[in-house]
Amino acid sequence: RKEVEQDPGPFNVPEGATVAFNCTYSNSASQSFFWYRQDCRKEPKLLMSVYSSGNEDGRFTAQLNRASQYISLLIRDSKLSDSATYLCVVNVVITGGGNKLTFGTGTQLKVEL
Amino acid sequence: EPEVTQTPSHQVTQMGQEVILRCVPISNHLYFYWYRQILGQKVEFLVSFYNNEISEKSEIFDDQFSVERPDGSNFTLKIRSTKLEDSAMYFCASRPGQGFATFGSGTRLTVV
């Protein structure tokens, strides 16, 4: 099983639609979780951290289910500018104090007129 | 807003040559990373660095690769003898004790 797994898409949605992305992770020792956004040929940029209680930032809502090792991202009222690749990122603390961020393959979103 | 700086933005090198990719992480961050992304593929972990030593490395990070933090501000990735398949975007990132990692804008390495 892959460490972090996402549906690669692409998801083609009309402007204004609601779209949901899912992510599963294999390491039950994973401690923190993030959604990053990556535009073509650019660096990943943090979209939001994901907390156990779920969290919302404007049109974006993230959920975490530790028991199922599952993370989700919901985008409401999607805009053309939301078109990008959305990366699920999981952090595991390593013995000795370091940590490792593992990326999913990313889910490509295309919002169309 | 603090940022991670990477130089050069684009490096072209001949196969077999050594390259050094440079990064200036955000000051006071504790964890440092190198990732690579081959065009059209996923972001792949190379190495993490903490407390002045490598804390984790992937199987990609073989003997051809090394990292250094020589002066408390720079964080470098050296590839000793480049191969065609090393062509990729290389991202540096840093992270404070808690919270998210910030990525640099990357160095595009082209091996010819």
Side-chain angles (χ1 to χ4, degrees):
Chain A
R1 184 179 173 187
K2 290 181 183 175
E3 288 185 89
V4 181
E5 199 150 2
Q6 293 181 253
D7 180 345
F11 284 54
N12 297 326
V13 302
E15 206 173 12
T18 296
V19 61
F21 303 140
N22 302 318
C23 170
T24 56
Y25 59 95
S26 61
N27 190 336
S28 58
S30 301
Q31 294 201 332
S32 43
F33 310 89
F34 309 93
W35 284 102
Y36 277 73
R37 171 193 168 129
Q38 187 176 30
D39 293 289
C40 189
R41 295 178 180 262
K42 299 286 189 182
E43 74 274 23
K45 290 188 177 177
L46 179 76
L47 179 67
M48 58 198 301
S49 302
V50 187
Y51 303 117
S52 297
S53 54
N55 48 301
E56 188 174 306
D57 182 3
R59 298 181 293 109
F60 300 87
T61 301
Q63 297 277 354
L64 167 64
N65 184 324
R66 285 187 185 268
S68 302
Q69 295 179 198
Y70 170 92
I71 306 158
S72 66
L73 176 69
L74 184 77
I75 305 176
R76 288 181 299 278
D77 187 24
S78 51
K79 314 285 184 195
L80 293 174
S81 56
D82 293 333
S83 298
T85 298
Y86 291 82
L87 304 167
C88 176
V89 182
V90 172
N91 181 57
V92 177
V93 174
I94 299 159
T95 304
N99 60 79
K100 174 184 169 183
L101 294 166
T102 303
F103 283 73
T105 52
T107 299
Q108 190 178 8
L109 172 66
K110 295 181 182 178
V111 181
E112 301 163 331
L113 284 170
Chain B
E1 188 176 321
E3 56 182 31
V4 175
T5 305
Q6 288 187 245
T7 54
S9 56
H10 191 190
Q11 172 100 43
V12 181
T13 189
Q14 288 204 320
M15 195 167 55
Q17 295 296 305
E18 174 183 287
V19 294
I20 297 176
L21 309 184
R22 302 182 190 280
C23 171
V24 180
I26 295 172
S27 62
N28 301 321
H29 277 195
L30 300 178
Y31 304 100
F32 311 104
Y33 313 86
W34 282 101
Y35 287 80
R36 80 170 187 191
Q37 187 173 33
I38 295 168
L39 188 63
Q41 297 188 24
K42 66 176 285 187
V43 177
E44 297 176 292
F45 171 75
L46 291 177
V47 65
S48 60
F49 195 85
Y50 168 71
N51 205 24
N52 290 317
E53 61 183 20
I54 291 174
S55 53
E56 179 83 356
K57 59 184 181 179
S58 71
E59 52 192 39
I60 302 169
F61 194 89
D62 60 21
D63 293 343
Q64 301 244 88
F65 291 86
S66 62
V67 289
E68 271 191 334
R69 189 161 157 77
D71 55 14
S73 61
N74 292 287
F75 180 50
T76 61
L77 175 69
K78 182 191 290 185
I79 309 174
R80 261 179 276 281
S81 178
T82 49
K83 301 182 282 238
L84 293 176
E85 54 265 37
D86 294 328
S87 295
M89 182 74 96
Y90 288 80
F91 292 111
C92 172
S94 69
R95 185 171 184 230
Q98 298 289 331
F100 61 92
T102 300
F103 284 77
S105 55
T107 293
R108 179 167 300 282
L109 177 65
T110 303
V111 182
V112 297

